[in-house]
Amino acid sequence: QQPVQSPQAVILREGEDAVINCSSSKALYSVHWYRQKHGEAPVFLMILLKGGEQKGHEKISASFNEKKQQSSLYLTASQLSYSGTYFCGTDPQLNTGGFKTIFGAGTRLFVKA
Amino acid sequence: NAGVMQNPRHLVRRRGQEARLRCSPMKGHSHVYWYRQLPEEGLKFMVYLQKENIIDESGMPKERFSAEFPKEGPSILRIQQVVRGDSAAYFCASSPTRGSEQYFGPGTRLTVT
């Protein structure tokens, strides 16, 4: 039931790109992405509500393939401030029952200079 | 516009005592979620509430744990007769509607001695 995130961890040099994937076995209503730095609260990045939707701001964007129940987060030209743990959160379709948001186990991203 | 508020930020309880964690959602948000996080782990869903109603409590242990979100005042997560295994960070998040983006509070770090 928990969405599967991959990779579990990634190390980048400043300026490199990364893709983080999130895959669910259930039909999804929405996918959210958050970043959490050590000892801090998760911070909302973006939400995708429609199949095939893509969203983005600055150098972080995401896509949502409703049919495959998958979402990907794209980090381009990474900066040191991108370091942290990235979580996807999934909400099930209303007709499948359930109202809880389930989070993946997280992807640890470390950007080095 | 104040963000999500949680208090206390740190709470130390001895085994057998009660812990009360408070969460004030963002202004205009009527949906509140509680999550538990152990060090280096993901966010585990506990309960989802709307004003005066528990919508989904499937992630909450049946015994010792309860949650409420009264018409007036903050949402409260109550843990009775705490045990060492209850030590964790407890985050609440609020959202304007179901399935929309969630904004997290700073968390309450509960330590049971």
Side-chain angles (χ1 to χ4, degrees):
Chain A
Q1 191 174 0
Q2 182 183 37
V4 177
Q5 284 188 237
S6 63
Q8 289 184 321
V10 59
I11 299 174
L12 299 174
R13 288 190 183 276
E14 209 172 359
E16 291 182 337
D17 302 340
V19 179
I20 300 172
N21 300 302
C22 175
S23 180
S24 174
S25 59
K26 286 184 173 284
L28 299 176
Y29 171 74
S30 65
V31 178
H32 328 181
W33 286 96
Y34 300 82
R35 177 171 61 214
Q36 184 179 31
K37 293 185 181 285
H38 185 71
E40 299 181 7
V43 174
F44 170 73
L45 293 176
M46 64 188 71
I47 184 169
L48 301 107
L49 294 171
K50 297 177 183 177
E53 186 179 22
Q54 284 197 323
K55 276 196 172 184
H57 55 86
E58 295 184 352
K59 296 173 183 174
I60 301 176
S61 61
S63 63
F64 177 26
N65 187 320
E66 187 178 357
K67 287 183 180 178
K68 291 186 177 180
Q69 294 151 199
Q70 293 175 345
S71 178
S72 294
L73 185 71
Y74 306 95
L75 306 165
T76 58
S78 59
Q79 305 168 14
L80 295 176
S81 61
Y82 286 6
S83 293
T85 302
Y86 289 77
F87 293 101
C88 68
T90 57
D91 287 286
Q93 294 270 15
L94 282 173
N95 59 2
T96 62
F99 296 89
K100 58 189 179 189
T101 302
I102 303 296
F103 283 86
T107 295
R108 293 186 189 180
L109 186 138
F110 179 69
V111 181
K112 55 184 181 181
Chain B
N1 187 13
V4 179
M5 311 283 281
Q6 285 188 253
N7 66 79
R9 296 288 302 275
H10 299 274
L11 182 61
V12 180
R13 285 286 178 265
R14 291 184 178 176
R15 277 179 298 172
Q17 291 185 319
E18 178 179 289
R20 282 195 179 218
L21 288 61
R22 294 174 183 77
C23 169
S24 296
M26 285 182 72
K27 189 177 181 181
H29 288 191
S30 59
H31 300 247
V32 166
Y33 302 78
W34 283 93
Y35 298 94
R36 171 188 157 116
Q37 188 176 41
L38 293 171
E40 308 305 320
E41 292 192 9
L43 296 153
K44 299 296 184 189
F45 169 83
M46 297 184 72
V47 61
Y48 164 40
L49 311 103
Q50 281 183 266
K51 278 289 187 181
E52 301 184 87
N53 293 304
I54 296 174
I55 306 301
D56 189 328
E57 57 180 349
S58 58
M60 208 150 66
K62 297 278 187 247
E63 297 179 357
R64 302 189 298 110
F65 286 73
S66 62
E68 62 177 11
F69 189 14
K71 187 176 180 180
E72 301 291 337
S75 174
I76 294 175
L77 179 68
R78 183 182 177 204
I79 311 172
Q80 295 178 290
Q81 299 175 328
V82 295
V83 300
R84 288 221 173 107
D86 295 334
S87 296
Y90 291 84
F91 289 98
C92 82
S94 73
S95 67
T97 60
R98 184 221 169 235
S100 60
E101 67 275 16
Q102 296 178 26
Y103 295 91
F104 283 79
T108 293
R109 272 79 179 168
L110 173 65
T111 302
V112 180
T113 62

